[in-house]
């Protein structure tokens, strides 16, 4: 069974930084593109960033470009999200999500339990 | 940017009834790029349907997806108590590469 375990959330002041991690179980981590999806309190889901299995292709939503950096270490089965210049509207539960299959699918079949990021003074 | 609009915002039904949830895209999309998720309070989303009509592993057959072009539907044929939750559609596109609808809350009447 695939398991994704996020960590690194917490309370940070506006303008501060946090680094989220997501450790994946299984031996095929490097075959899968991964994403971060967030959910502000009481709101819907918002995709934030994606990275290909090799790390060579990266995408961001416009609101985080230049502030957030996604990366992965396939030797450690770990996905990261470095978040800088945090703003109040970045407050959310951040989920890591794994594609349903390595190729030919466009959905997230596996999700972590989420880690809460609160940006407040 | 393609926008997904879900309707209704809230759907009030009783167990045993049929639920029909809509997801409309602002322009025609590839059906294989459309998915549906269920999210219960305090939990991560769960994939229900991918490719507009294929059930994910372990999803009961009372859940079905259909549609093409701009109009897509998630149908729950006979509601069970555990089906009351929030449902999201999701699109794989170009910019941004993934988009979610705003969600439909399915509540007990």
């Amino acid at each position: 069974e695939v398991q994704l375990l996020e960590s690194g959330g917490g309370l940070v002041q506006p303008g501060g930084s946090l680094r989220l991690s997501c450790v994946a179980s299984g031996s095929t981590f490097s075959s899968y593109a991964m994403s971060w999806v967030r959910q502000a309190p009481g709101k819907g889901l918002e995709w934030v960033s994606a990275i290909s299995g090799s790390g060579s292709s990266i995408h961001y939503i416009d609101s985080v470009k230049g502030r957030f950096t996604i990366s992965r270490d396939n030797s450690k089965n770990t996905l990261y999200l470095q978040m800088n210049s945090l703003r109040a509207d970045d407050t959310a539960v951040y989920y890591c999500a794994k594609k349903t299959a390595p190729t030919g699918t466009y959905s997230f079949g596996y999700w972590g339990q989420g880690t809460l990021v609160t940006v407040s003074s | 940017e393609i926008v997904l609009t879900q309707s209704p915002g809230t759907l009030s039904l009783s167990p045993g009834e049929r639920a029909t949830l809509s997801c409309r895209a602002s322009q025609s999309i590839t059906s294989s790029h459309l998915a549906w998720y269920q999210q219960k309070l305090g939990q991560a989303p769960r994939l229900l349907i991918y490719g507009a009509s294929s059930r994910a592993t372990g999803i009961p057959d009372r859940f079905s997806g259909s549609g093409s072009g701009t109009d897509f539907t998630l149908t729950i044929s006979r509601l069970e108590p555990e089906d009351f939750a929030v449902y999201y559609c999701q699109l794989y596109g170009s910019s941004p590469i993934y988009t979610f609808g705003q969600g439909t809350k399915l509540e007990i009447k």
Side-chain angles (χ1 to χ4, degrees):
Chain A
E1 181 185 351
V2 174
Q3 288 192 328
L4 302 172
L5 185 62
E6 301 101 334
S7 61
L11 174 64
V12 61
Q13 292 187 337
S17 298
L18 275 179
R19 187 196 200 200
L20 306 184
S21 300
C22 171
V23 179
S25 63
S27 58
T28 59
F29 179 71
S30 62
S31 299
Y32 286 78
M34 299 290 295
S35 281
W36 289 97
V37 177
R38 68 184 178 184
Q39 186 169 36
K43 302 298 184 183
L45 301 170
E46 180 180 52
W47 170 81
V48 174
S49 182
I51 185 169
S52 63
S54 66
S56 61
S57 179
I58 287 174
H59 302 270
Y60 299 99
I61 194 170
D62 284 349
S63 60
V64 309
K65 284 181 181 175
R67 300 189 299 123
F68 290 11
T69 301
I70 192 171
S71 62
R72 64 191 296 160
D73 185 338
N74 287 339
S75 69
K76 296 181 179 179
N77 278 16
T78 303
L79 173 73
Y80 302 100
L81 186 67
Q82 177 67 44
M83 304 186 294
N84 299 330
S85 303
L86 282 162
R87 312 185 305 218
D89 62 356
D90 295 318
T91 294
V93 173
Y94 284 73
Y95 296 100
C96 68
K98 179 179 176 181
K99 283 184 66 179
T100 305
T103 59
T105 64
Y106 308 93
S107 57
F108 303 115
Y110 309 96
W111 295 71
Q113 85 291 348
T115 187
L116 176 62
V117 173
T118 303
V119 184
S120 175
S121 55
Chain B
E1 177 183 348
I2 300 176
V3 176
L4 297 179
T5 301
Q6 293 187 240
S7 62
T10 302
L11 184 58
S12 300
L13 294 171
S14 300
E17 290 192 294
R18 181 185 185 90
T20 302
L21 287 67
S22 172
C23 177
R24 177 164 291 177
S26 57
Q27 58 187 272
S28 185
I29 65 172
T30 302
S31 297
S32 63
H33 294 177
L34 197 284
W36 289 93
Y37 300 83
Q38 176 193 69
Q39 188 180 33
K40 297 181 181 179
L41 192 64
Q43 296 184 16
R46 178 175 71 147
L47 177 66
L48 298 175
I49 301 287
Y50 64 93
S53 60
S54 298
R55 269 188 303 276
T57 302
I59 301 303
D61 60 8
R62 65 180 181 273
F63 291 90
S64 63
S66 63
S68 63
T70 60
D71 292 315
F72 296 85
T73 300
L74 174 69
T75 301
I76 311 171
S77 60
R78 187 175 173 85
L79 285 166
E80 298 287 342
E82 62 267 28
D83 298 336
F84 292 92
V86 180
Y87 292 83
Y88 296 94
C89 56
Q90 170 252 309
L91 169 68
Y92 171 81
S94 56
S95 181
I97 63 166
Y98 293 103
T99 304
F100 289 92
Q102 84 280 14
T104 289
K105 181 180 181 181
L106 179 57
E107 65 176 23
I108 299 177
K109 186 174 181 180

